[in-house]
Amino acid sequence: MYFQLGEIVFSELMGFSSMSIEHGSKVQEIDRINNKARLQQTKINLKNISISVVLNRGFVEPQTIIDQLEEYVEKSAIVNFIDGSGTFIGRFVIPSISETVTTLDVDGTKIAVELSIKLIEYYEDNQAGSEAKTAINNASALEENNPI
């Protein structure tokens, strides 16, 4: 498995292309009389993730995956993002997806599609979210937790 986004598992049969994760913070420059300015962090930005995958009808029905992703976009659904090792990365909203059809059948059916998926971190400032993350990372079914 490359990653899981909500209920969709992206595995070796869905051609993973790339993933970029943007971390950042906002820094404010504070002027001081007769001294150099100081920098102060004023906020931590939400994570932005961009994922590119290639779907081929020989392995998966591209339109099924596209429809499910479009449903997430239309509902602004908050989905869990789990990496290939089973680590819970966080909860995200998918603001947009874009598709490039690279191969069509003679009847217009999509054979190969390149998908770009944008994710924005959904942040909750509460303890329940932290507890859920801890519970998922400590799940006994994960290989590193020595399941029985």
Side-chain angles (χ1 to χ4, degrees):
M1 170 176 95
Y2 298 120
F3 61 91
Q4 181 174 342
L5 190 55
E7 299 296 317
I8 307 171
V9 176
F10 291 84
S11 63
E12 61 276 348
L13 298 179
M14 297 183 195
F16 176 79
S17 293
S18 67
M19 176 170 60
S20 65
I21 302 173
E22 181 183 328
H23 305 267
S25 65
K26 183 167 176 75
V27 178
Q28 183 70 38
E29 187 174 307
I30 300 171
D31 292 327
R32 300 181 334 156
I33 298 173
N34 297 327
N35 280 317
K36 283 190 168 187
R38 294 275 175 121
L39 296 178
Q40 180 176 344
Q41 181 183 32
T42 57
K43 75 172 189 172
I44 299 172
N45 295 336
L46 299 173
K47 287 181 193 169
N48 287 287
I49 299 178
S50 298
I51 302 169
S52 296
V53 294
V54 177
L55 306 177
N56 189 300
R57 193 172 75 181
F59 305 108
V60 65
E61 183 54 52
Q63 195 58 49
T64 303
I65 303 298
I66 292 167
D67 290 345
Q68 192 162 9
L69 288 169
E70 284 178 347
E71 182 179 330
Y72 290 159
V73 171
E74 290 168 5
K75 293 182 177 180
S76 294
I78 301 165
V79 295
N80 291 334
F81 181 61
I82 300 168
D83 73 9
S85 67
T87 303
F88 178 76
I89 302 300
R91 300 175 75 201
F92 290 82
V93 172
I94 305 171
S96 67
I97 59 170
S98 62
E99 63 179 276
T100 303
V101 179
T102 56
T103 309
L104 288 174
D105 204 343
V106 291
D107 62 358
T109 304
K110 296 173 186 174
I111 294 176
V113 177
E114 295 175 4
L115 278 182
S116 294
I117 307 165
K118 305 274 188 224
L119 308 172
I120 297 177
E121 181 181 20
Y122 177 80
Y123 179 77
E124 290 180 309
D125 198 14
N126 67 20
Q127 186 63 27
S130 297
E131 290 172 358
K133 182 176 180 178
T134 301
I136 290 170
N137 284 333
N138 292 333
S140 62
L142 295 175
E143 183 176 273
E144 64 269 15
N145 292 337
N146 300 319
I148 296 174

